[in-house]
Amino acid sequence: MAAFRSCAPHRIEHTRVIHASPRTLYDLVAEVERWGVVFDSVAHARSLRRTGRGERCEVWAWEEGGITTWNGSRVADPYRLYIGFTWEPGQLPVPVGGCWYFRPLPGDRTEVVLRHRFAPGDGARTAGDRVRRILDRRAHQQLDALVRIASLTDGAAPSPVFSFTDTFAVPGAAAAHHDMVRRADLWAERLPQVARSTVTALHPQVHALELDTIGPEGFARRTRSVRVCHDSGWIAQKELVTARPLIGHTGVWTFAEGLRTPVVTVRHTVVIDPAAACGAAGNRVSAESVRAGIRETLRQDARAVLAGTSCHSRASRTAQAS
């Protein structure tokens, strides 16, 4: 009888009432590419394959003091405001299933319900306690994050979370640009705007990056980020400390040879603080202007890195020729 009880599935439920519409909160969870800016513990998340309402996902996150990664599958139903998921064993020793529900309440409020279930396996009570502890902590962090994003949302204003993509035609070879972006430890030597760059390995594919950069006004700024440099060639970056009006920023770099010239594509996802729409002396700045300014700043930052690639490549060719 004891063995039977140890194999019974564990079920955990967490709920939170949040002042936001069910659809707003559903969209934050349903779009896995947003997780890096929505959830603090997620370094990067991506969809591997979509089939109808189902998808395969891959996640990199901080867990128990280190970076871990896991895969899983999800089914999203926007009509029922329901998301079901199954995460395969990774950092956790057992598969974990569960679901999100978003129940509408009066006053433009939503009851968010997050459920998990798992079997401890082999009657291991210690392992079951550990899984429950991790899931409990993760659920509280995720619900807290939804509260934080919801507090930035004004029903009449555009969402504070948005994405955009910039594509650059570049000279040389795509591999050279990939190497330039990946080898951030050499940016202080290769990029004139970088005074110092420090890279610390956190995982075979993940490292922390700290930069001191010199802006146009001559002021130094220190930034910290975590980057996933995937074996297939793309590079994802999450800023850990952002400058207002940004309060969250992730970017994914991809590199391709293209038909006539190499192409570098950078997809950004950001969260902005609506208070940034208030300019000096209380003057209002439109949300569209704030977004346009952010996009132009991030576009110029990417161009500066790619320009450094071109200069470094030309210098290398000149040195080899001589």
Side-chain angles (χ1 to χ4, degrees), residues 269-284:
T269 300
V270 302
V271 183
I272 61 172
D273 180 0
C278 286
N283 295 326
R284 297 293 298 179

Side-chain angles (χ1 to χ4, degrees), residues 279-301:
N283 295 326
R284 297 293 298 179
V285 179
S286 70
E288 291 75 14
S289 296
V290 173
R291 289 185 177 212
I294 290 171
R295 178 165 185 168
E296 184 58 26
T297 297
L298 295 177
R299 180 186 291 123
Q300 293 300 331
D301 288 346

Side-chain angles (χ1 to χ4, degrees), residues 25-319:
L25 298 169
Y26 169 89
D27 288 343
L28 291 174
V29 179
E31 298 184 33
V32 70
E33 288 82 3
R34 290 183 170 189
W35 285 10
V37 295
V38 173
F39 300 127
D40 289 343
S41 62
V42 175
H44 180 62
R46 64 172 183 147
S47 178
L48 299 174
R49 182 177 67 255
R50 287 187 171 94
T51 55
R53 294 179 182 173
E55 68 177 337
R56 289 276 302 162
C57 302
E58 188 172 29
V59 181
W60 286 261
W62 286 274
E63 204 76 84
E64 297 189 319
I67 291 283
T68 186
T69 182
W70 64 86
N71 291 6
S73 58
R74 304 196 312 158
V75 176
D77 187 336
Y79 301 103
R80 295 172 54 210
L81 298 174
Y82 165 88
I83 301 168
F85 57 83
T86 301
W87 299 120
E88 298 166 2
Q91 198 271 342
L92 296 177
V94 294
V96 174
C99 60
W100 292 83
Y101 284 104
F102 302 85
R103 295 171 173 164
L105 297 175
D108 197 31
R109 297 177 304 148
T110 302
E111 181 187 30
V112 181
V113 180
L114 174 55
R115 293 172 178 162
H116 291 95
R117 64 182 181 278
F118 68 94
D122 299 328
R125 178 175 178 179
T126 302
D129 290 344
R130 174 173 171 264
V131 172
R132 179 180 287 272
R133 183 175 65 252
I134 291 173
L135 293 176
D136 184 69
R137 180 175 64 245
R138 189 186 294 174
H140 282 294
Q141 291 173 344
Q142 291 173 330
L143 292 170
D144 288 346
L146 295 183
V147 172
R148 183 173 63 252
I149 299 295
S151 72
L152 304 172
T153 303
D154 182 344
S159 171
V161 184
F162 65 98
S163 301
F164 54 90
T165 300
D166 288 318
T167 300
F168 306 91
V170 292
H177 294 277
H178 171 265
D179 180 72
M180 180 67 174
V181 177
R182 184 180 63 85
R183 291 301 308 271
D185 56 313
L186 301 177
W187 283 3
E189 304 171 17
R190 297 178 174 180
L191 301 179
Q193 70 272 26
V194 177
R196 183 183 68 89
S197 61
T198 303
V199 171
T200 305
L202 304 176
H203 179 275
Q205 297 183 82
V206 184
H207 63 252
L209 171 62
E210 185 173 289
L211 295 177
D212 289 343
T213 57
I214 308 300
E217 303 84 3
F219 297 110
R221 176 178 173 239
R222 178 162 296 178
T223 59
R224 295 181 179 89
S225 60
V226 61
R227 307 204 314 168
V228 179
C229 298
H230 199 265
D231 294 340
S232 63
W234 54 263
I235 297 170
Q237 181 165 327
K238 172 175 179 169
E239 285 195 63
L240 302 180
V241 179
T242 56
R244 300 285 176 169
L246 290 182
I247 57 176
H249 172 223
T250 62
V252 180
W253 296 67
T254 56
F255 310 83
E257 288 301 338
L259 295 176
R260 297 183 178 180
T261 182
V263 173
V264 178
T265 301
V266 189
R267 178 171 176 79
H268 300 278
T269 300
V270 302
V271 183
I272 61 172
D273 180 0
C278 286
N283 295 326
R284 297 293 298 179
V285 179
S286 70
E288 291 75 14
S289 296
V290 173
R291 289 185 177 212
I294 290 171
R295 178 165 185 168
E296 184 58 26
T297 297
L298 295 177
R299 180 186 291 123
Q300 293 300 331
D301 288 346
R303 279 193 179 128
V305 173
L306 296 174
T309 304
S310 301
C311 292
H312 175 70
S313 297
R314 285 196 297 271
S316 298
R317 289 195 298 270
T318 301

